Structure formats: C-alpha cells, structure tokens
Amino acid sequence: MAVGQTTSVSNSASPAAVEIAAEGGKISSVWIARPWIDLSFFVATPLLIIPLVNAAMARWSIDQIALYVAAFGATGHHLPGMLRAYGDRELFERFRVRFLIAPVFLLTLCVSFAYWHLRGLVLIGVTWGTWHSLMQVYGFLRIYDGKVKSTDRITANLDFYMCLCWFIAGFLNSPGRLQGWFEMFYTAGGPAVTAATLSRIALTVNVATFLVTVGFVLNLVRRWGEGRPPSAIKLGSMAISFGFWWYAMVLVDNPLLGVALFEIFHDVQYLAIVWIFNRGRVDKAERVGSFTGFLFRRSGAMVGLYVALVVGYGIVGMVPEMTDLNNLRPAIFGFLLASGLLHFYYDGFIWKFREQSARRALNLADGQTETARNERFPSWVRHGAKWVFFVIPVIWLGTAQVRNPLTRLEQLQNLAIAVPESWNAHYMLAKEFQENGRLEESIPELEHAVRLNPEQITLHIELGDAYMRTNAFDKALPHLQKAHELDPRHDAVLRGICEILMQKQRFKDAETPLKELVARTPGDALAHRWLGTVLAERGLTGEAAARFEASLSLDPSVAVTHNNLGLMRLRQGLLDDAAAEFDAALTIDADYAEAHNNRGVVAAQRRDFRRAIEHYRRTVELDASHVRARNSLAWNLATCPDDELRNGREALQLAQSLTSGQGEHDLGILLTLAAAYAETGEFEAAEQTAARGLQLAQALGNRGMAALTSACLELYRKGRPYRDRGGM
C-alpha cells in the first residue's frame, strides 16, 4: 500500500503539496488503533518477524519461505486494494475510467511481454515495488505526525526525503540487491554499467542521506523548541523501518531472505491498515458498497473471512509451481505481474486522506482539511503525464532486449563487472563458464566469490569440485574441508575429501573420514573399498578383507575390489580363495594387468610355473613398466625346475634391463640377475652379483633374503644354477 501518497493533495506524490490548514482540530489519539495493535502491526512488527522467520527456517528452506511469502504475502495483499477499488461505490464512481482501462491495458501488456520472454516489465515492477514500499513507510510517518498535528510542509518534505534517501542508500549498499536488480536489467537488454559509475552514484546518495538526516535532526530540534514536536511513535517507526530495511538489504546474506523479510513487514502493515481504514468507514456510515459494508463490519468472523480471501488470492501465486503446463505459464506469470502493477498503481491514488471521510476513518482530526494548491492543468492531464514514467521505460527496455539481445554469459560478465562485491554474481558467472565448457575460466570467479563470502558452503563445494576436475587435488582439499567444517551433513563433501586423500595416498589421514563416510553411507561400495585399502596399508588384513567383501556385496562388478580381496586372501595363505578372486577380476576385465600379476604369484606358489609365466608375460604385455611382473617373469624363466619352460637368455635380458637406474640397489632384482647369469653359465658374474645382493640383504637386516642369497651364492661358487622350489 503506497500509504505515503495519501498525504499529498490532488494526485501528486510530492510532499511539497502537503499542508494541513487547520492545526486546532481535536485529535482523538496518538495511535491509529490501540497501542498493542499499532506496535504489533505497524511499528515494532520487525521485532516479531525476525524470530518467527528464524523459527520457520528450521522447517523450511529459504527458497520455500520466499515462495510462500511471494504467494500469500506479496500476491495476496493485492486483494484488499482491489476490493476497495471495485467495492467502494464512491471511489469507483470517481475513478471509473482508470479502474476499467488500467486492468485491460496492464494485463494485455504483461501477458504479451511474458509470451515474448521480454523482462523489462519485471524490472519495472521490482523498481516500482521498492518505491511502493518506501512510500508506505512515509505514509505511516505522516499519519502518526497527523495525530499530533505535526503537519508543516518542511517536516513532511524531510520525512519524504528521509524515506527516499535511506531506502535508496540501503539498496545501493547491498551487493545482493544490486546483483538481483542488474541481473534483470541486463536480461532486459540494458547497457553495461561499470562499477566505478555505480560507486559514484552510491557515494552521492550516501552523502545526500547524511545531509538530509542532518537537516531532519535540525528540524526536529527546531520543532521541539517551538513546542510542536513530532510524534514519538513516528520517530520510533522511522528508526525501526529504516533499520529493518538496512538489516534485510545489507546485513542478511541471502538476498532472497532479505526481500522476504521486508515483504512480510510491508504486507502485515498493509493488511492491518486496510482493515482498520475500511472498518472505520463502515462504523461511521460512510458511503461504501454493500460488499465492503458486509466484509468490514465489526465481527471476528469477518476478520477470518478477510484473511481467508487474502490467502485465497495468494494461492494464484502458487499456480506456476503447481502446474506443468508450460504453455500456460506465461499467461499466469503475466497475470501475477499485472496484479502487482495494478496494486502499485491503484495505491498511488485510492488512499488519499485529504478527504474528510478518509481522515475520519482513521480518526486523524475532526473536520480537519488540507489546503489544495492552485493547479495549472486538470487532474486528468497531470495524471496522464505520470504514465510517461512507465511507458518510456517499457518501450526502451522492450525494444532494447529485441534489438540487442545478450547471451547469458555476456549478461553475467556485465553483472560481475557492475557489482564486483557480489559473491553471487561471480558464482553465477562461474557456473555459466562451466555450462559453456570453460572450466578453467570458472575457477578465478569462484576464488573471487570465496574471498567475498568465505562462510558460504556452496562456494567451497563448487571451488573444491572445480579443482578436483582439473586434478588440482592439493587446492581442492582445504575447500572441501572448510565445507565439511561449515556443515558436516554433506555426504558428497565428505566423499570428496576421502577421494582426494586416497588419490594422494594419504592413507593415515583418510582412515577417520572414511570410517565416518562408511557409517553414514553404508550402501556406498566405493567407500567400503577405500576403507579396505587403508586398513590393508596398516596391515589389518582381516578387517580389510571384510571391507572388500562388503563392497563386493554391494557391487560385485568391480575388478579392482576382487583383486584387492584376492591380495588379502593371499596374505592369509588362502591360495584357492585368492585365485578365485583374481580370476573373478580377470573375468570382468581380461586386460587388468595387476590381476594377471597376482594370479601369477598364486600359480608360482602352487608350483604351476607354466601358468605363472603366462600371467607374468601377459602383465608385461599390458604394462611394460610393471617392474615386479618383469622381475618375476625373469626369475621364473631363470629358475623354473621345468627345462621346457626355462629360458636363461630371455631371463638375463629382462634382469639386465631392470638393473638400469635404481634397479642395482633392489635386492630382488639383484637376486634375479644373479640367477639369470647362472642359468646362462656366467657363474663368475652370478657370484659377484649374488655377493652384492648378500651385502645389501645384511645391510637391510632382511634375514630371509640374506639366507636365500647365501644359499644361491654357494651354488654359483660350485658352478651350479639355482632351481626354485616355491616360486617368487
């Protein structure tokens, strides 16, 4: 309700026109209704709204709360104004032409824009809505001042400019609201605006706000000194309203929640003042329509009916969320937008309190009138001229979007430039970069967003994910850990942390988060496998085997898990079980090199040297860099008891290739090389190599390998090759 326009004469919203001629009328009360009603519904309402919304957030998400407020509050509170426009007989007769033409014009315009996907009217509606809100606050200030006869022109002007400056300053100092407004502006085809330009505008408005506030205080002192102080209720209402606007716009991190908070305040004020106003007219037998007389009579049931009608009209705002008929959405959206614009338009002239009947309805003053200024033009000319402020922006924005359409990426790039302090602007740009396959370019935007809002969990998750997708795991980990710290309930975040720790082979660090992940997501096969890997690294073979079994019970199609379980069975000496798992892995993936190598180990320990050599050879074919498989193949070719399978020359070539680089310091490779030398008859080289191996084994304190190497060395000194009896 643009109550702020109620104190102006004629149809003008300018406070300069406000001047009550008589100041001697009797004022019935300094309150509009009763103290508890005024405090609850007009003045101190925000003190009730904040705890109620906080309680609601425990049950509903911010998006849900905003949807309910938009439907049942923003849309629902349009109805009382419509009831007055079309249910008040005297008012309808005065403004019949406006009430008949405006709905047709605006509905046609809004539905057409919706079907053509033109966003200019939405931007105009949001901007008009802000004006509408500040004028409602202004109206209540003037009503309370009217109650104590503080009605001079200077005070009215200063009240208006205080509302104007403090509301605009709150808007300009809110990166979230600026981001939302400019997003619509660029979607509607608006030209690019630089951050420097916006900064200069904000500075100008902030300075103007300071100067107007100083002027307000000086006038307050002056009026007090003259014995005509303003309403104390007005001052309290002004402080709470401005403070709540800044709280909702600037301090509340989520712009959607901030808008919802102030919308609730606005709607509660509006619904209450309309009820009190209309009931006052009915009580005083003013000339109202039959429906108005019925609805606003003194009856508790009528209060319930009034609220029910508002809620019923608000249900229309829920229709887009409840229907899947996309072809009807533009019509519904157009209707809702037209409803809002009509509400703003009607409230600009239907709540004029210069008329004695209107003033009597709120008990402003008995017989008190306002002095009308001389007008050069008829009221219809002045009223029509105001439509220029609507029509020109509509035409400009509508044609701009058609002539100069920007891609979504271009719109968001302009947005991030215009509002660099909005974390959400950078976040949306980053997401759009990703949608366009430009992942690398999204990362700086996400980093900027995190710097602006380091406590926003979504940003840390998205940045961590982007780093992971570019294999920058060291950079991803702290962001996922921060997200987990902010909200430990995100299983995907915990899984990402575990994935990075496993990728970096930080098994010790991974154990605790993996146990937490398995406990929270017992159906996650990969989490069980990861935990099994960590436990295996710690030597907890039985526990690791249990995790791998659990993983396979959830997903038996993963070759790696079968291979890992096979390794645990091999450690436990269960060769048949180990072989079965390795075979299962190879059934799933016949080219799984590690499973071939492990199957070779089992075959060698079973003295099935032919199969062992086959699997080792296949491993080397699949992975030429597999050192253990190459060494095992060389060992079996050099030491196999089966003459048909031995091949000393091939074994020597393989062993010599392994000793290049760090291989000459590997005990197993030295032992294989010595055996290959012996198999080819080069016993002197075999003896020298085995001696080096023995020294290394003793230095390492490896008694088992030292005993084996010593036994081999004795054979080589006697000119005899080594024959393996148990596999390697």
Side-chain angles (χ1 to χ4, degrees):
M1 172 184 182
V3 184
Q5 293 172 311
T6 61
T7 55
S8 60
V9 298
S10 187
N11 293 321
S12 172
S14 171
V18 178
E19 186 171 6
I20 306 297
E23 293 192 1
K26 179 182 178 182
I27 304 298
S28 61
S29 171
V30 296
W31 303 95
I32 295 174
R34 297 176 184 175
W36 72 267
I37 293 178
D38 282 43
L39 291 174
S40 299
F41 294 98
F42 303 139
V43 180
T45 316
L47 304 181
L48 302 175
I49 292 172
I50 293 174
L52 287 175
V53 171
N54 286 337
M57 288 173 64
R59 180 172 182 180
W60 296 297
S61 69
I62 291 176
D63 288 345
Q64 288 175 310
I65 292 173
L67 175 63
Y68 299 148
V69 170
F72 302 114
T75 300
H77 95 288
H78 299 166
L79 182 65
M82 304 292 181
L83 293 177
R84 172 127 203 266
Y86 296 99
D88 189 315
R89 186 180 309 160
E90 179 184 3
L91 188 69
F92 185 80
E93 289 174 358
R94 289 177 57 196
F95 301 112
R96 179 190 302 270
V97 175
R98 300 182 193 180
F99 291 148
L100 294 177
I101 293 178
V104 177
F105 169 67
L106 287 176
L107 184 60
T108 302
L109 189 65
C110 290
V111 172
S112 299
F113 267 57
Y115 271 106
W116 294 333
H117 303 290
L118 300 176
R119 307 299 292 173
L121 273 177
V122 177
L123 178 67
I124 291 170
V126 170
T127 306
W128 199 350
T130 302
W131 170 266
H132 175 76
S133 295
L134 77 88
M135 291 305 292
Q136 176 164 300
V137 170
Y138 169 68
F140 276 101
L141 302 184
R142 299 311 307 136
I143 289 174
Y144 281 119
D145 255 2
K147 291 284 187 176
V148 297
K149 301 181 291 183
S150 180
T151 55
D152 66 295
R153 181 181 301 178
I154 294 176
T155 299
N157 284 347
L158 285 170
D159 283 353
F160 171 76
Y161 289 117
M162 282 285 284
C163 290
L164 185 68
C165 289
W166 278 93
F167 268 73
I168 295 178
F171 178 85
L172 291 175
N173 284 278
S174 169
R177 285 304 302 273
L178 282 175
Q179 172 257 309
W181 192 91
F182 272 96
E183 185 181 359
M184 289 183 285
F185 179 71
Y186 290 132
T187 304
V193 178
T194 65
T197 299
L198 272 181
S199 180
R200 285 192 291 270
I201 293 173
L203 177 61
T204 301
V205 171
N206 290 339
V207 171
T209 303
F210 173 76
L211 295 176
V212 168
T213 303
V214 171
F216 177 84
V217 172
L218 292 176
N219 181 66
L220 180 64
V221 173
R222 176 184 68 85
R223 294 285 291 179
W224 223 296
E226 294 173 351
R228 296 181 297 168
S231 166
I233 305 171
K234 180 194 89 167
L235 297 178
S237 177
M238 177 182 285
I240 291 176
S241 297
F242 293 175
F244 190 54
W245 173 259
W246 273 68
Y247 170 78
M249 297 300 105
V250 180
L251 298 182
V252 174
D253 180 62
N254 189 304
L256 200 60
L257 178 60
V259 171
L261 284 168
F262 201 84
E263 182 64 38
I264 295 172
F265 178 39
H266 175 83
D267 299 341
V268 168
Q269 279 189 328
Y270 185 83
L271 295 175
I273 193 66
V274 170
W275 175 266
I276 291 171
F277 175 83
N278 281 309
R279 199 178 71 178
R281 294 200 68 204
V282 171
D283 286 348
K284 293 176 174 58
E286 299 289 347
R287 185 167 170 256
V288 297
S290 57
F291 180 75
T292 300
F294 168 77
L295 180 61
F296 293 100
R297 57 198 171 93
R298 289 186 176 273
S299 168
M302 292 302 101
V303 175
L305 178 59
Y306 175 65
V307 173
L309 289 172
V310 170
V311 171
Y313 191 77
I315 290 176
V316 178
M318 296 290 291
V319 172
E321 298 295 323
M322 298 186 296
T323 180
D324 293 328
L325 301 176
N326 291 329
N327 56 329
L328 290 179
R329 284 177 177 267
I332 298 169
F333 181 79
F335 172 81
L336 293 173
L337 181 58
S339 176
L341 294 178
L342 278 173
H343 172 67
F344 301 153
Y345 171 56
Y346 286 169
D347 275 13
F349 62 85
I350 68 175
W351 304 104
K352 298 293 185 181
F353 295 142
R354 62 187 174 85
E355 295 92 353
Q356 289 189 13
S357 61
R359 302 181 70 78
R360 284 197 301 271
L362 290 178
N363 295 317
L364 277 176
D366 295 336
Q368 193 173 10
T369 60
E370 294 181 358
T371 302
R373 63 183 180 182
N374 294 326
E375 303 290 357
R376 295 183 180 181
F377 302 101
S379 62
W380 65 269
V381 174
R382 297 194 306 274
H383 183 78
K386 294 178 182 178
W387 277 93
V388 172
F389 295 100
F390 176 80
V391 173
I392 290 179
V394 168
I395 294 174
W396 175 57
L397 289 171
T399 55
Q401 187 174 347
V402 173
R403 285 195 328 263
N404 215 7
L406 298 176
T407 66
R408 178 62 174 167
L409 181 59
E410 291 171 331
Q411 294 170 16
L412 294 176
Q413 285 175 317
N414 286 345
L415 182 63
I417 292 171
V419 197
E421 296 304 309
S422 168
W423 67 265
N424 200 34
H426 293 282
Y427 171 66
M428 290 193 299
L429 177 56
K431 296 296 287 183
E432 190 64 23
F433 273 132
Q434 293 180 10
E435 288 291 326
N436 285 268
R438 296 161 65 174
L439 179 61
E440 294 284 352
E441 292 175 81
S442 75
I443 291 176
E445 299 301 328
L446 288 170
E447 290 172 336
H448 194 160
V450 167
R451 286 194 295 271
L452 291 171
N453 191 353
E455 300 302 310
Q456 175 55 250
I457 184 174
T458 302
L459 299 180
H460 288 286
I461 293 173
E462 291 289 346
L463 183 54
D465 179 67
Y467 279 137
M468 288 183 68
R469 288 160 64 187
T470 55
N471 296 321
F473 296 107
D474 289 335
K475 292 183 178 180
L477 183 58
H479 290 287
L480 294 183
Q481 288 173 328
K482 177 64 175 179
H484 184 60
E485 175 189 324
L486 291 170
D487 187 355
R489 296 171 298 177
H490 280 258
D491 294 340
V493 171
L494 182 59
R495 198 173 194 271
I497 292 170
C498 294
E499 181 178 350
I500 293 173
L501 293 173
M502 293 301 293
Q503 183 76 25
K504 302 297 291 183
Q505 296 188 354
R506 292 170 54 180
F507 300 125
K508 183 178 180 181
D509 295 332
E511 184 173 352
T512 298
L514 274 172
K515 286 181 177 178
E516 181 183 353
L517 181 62
V518 166
R520 284 165 45 174
T521 59
D524 188 339
L526 182 57
H528 284 283
R529 191 183 88 204
W530 281 340
L531 182 54
T533 302
V534 169
L535 295 171
E537 287 292 325
R538 288 187 55 198
L540 302 174
T541 303
E543 294 181 37
R547 290 301 105 215
F548 293 136
E549 286 179 324
S551 180
L552 287 172
S553 70
L554 295 166
D555 185 0
S557 65
V558 180
V560 173
T561 314
H562 283 287
N563 179 73
N564 291 351
L565 180 56
L567 286 172
M568 297 304 100
R569 297 310 184 208
L570 191 59
R571 283 186 186 179
Q572 293 170 324
L574 304 173
L575 296 184
D576 290 343
D577 291 344
E581 296 300 333
F582 296 138
D583 288 340
L586 292 172
T587 299
I588 296 168
D589 183 0
D591 294 333
Y592 187 5
E594 190 62 33
H596 277 290
N597 177 73
N598 294 332
R599 187 65 180 85
V601 172
V602 174
Q605 291 191 15
R606 284 174 162 178
R607 296 183 55 76
D608 186 354
F609 296 108
R610 183 179 298 279
R611 177 170 287 186
I613 289 172
E614 288 175 354
H615 281 290
Y616 289 140
R617 197 179 296 281
R618 182 57 178 155
T619 304
V620 174
E621 289 174 359
L622 293 169
D623 183 4
S625 64
H626 200 300
V627 174
R628 287 184 293 111
R630 290 168 64 194
N631 188 57
S632 296
L633 177 59
W635 174 262
N636 279 270
L637 290 173
T639 66
C640 175
D642 190 336
D643 294 342
E644 183 182 344
L645 297 176
R646 278 197 321 277
N647 188 332
R649 194 167 299 279
E650 183 184 356
L652 183 59
Q653 290 175 346
L654 281 168
Q656 286 176 330
S657 69
L658 289 170
T659 56
S660 60
Q662 297 298 317
E664 60 184 15
H665 303 295
D666 187 294
L667 184 55
I669 292 174
L670 288 175
L671 190 59
T672 299
L673 179 60
Y677 277 132
E679 179 61 23
T680 56
E682 300 182 40
F683 291 105
E684 184 178 349
E687 183 180 343
Q688 293 175 354
T689 304
R692 293 197 342 254
L694 180 58
Q695 290 177 351
L696 182 58
Q698 292 171 340
L700 294 173
N702 191 331
R703 294 181 180 180
M705 287 296 287
L708 176 60
T709 307
S710 180
C712 290
L713 182 57
E714 288 299 320
L715 289 173
Y716 304 152
R717 286 172 177 168
K718 296 176 182 179
R720 292 167 56 190
Y722 176 77
R723 293 291 175 262
D724 188 7
R725 303 302 177 187
M728 176 177 176

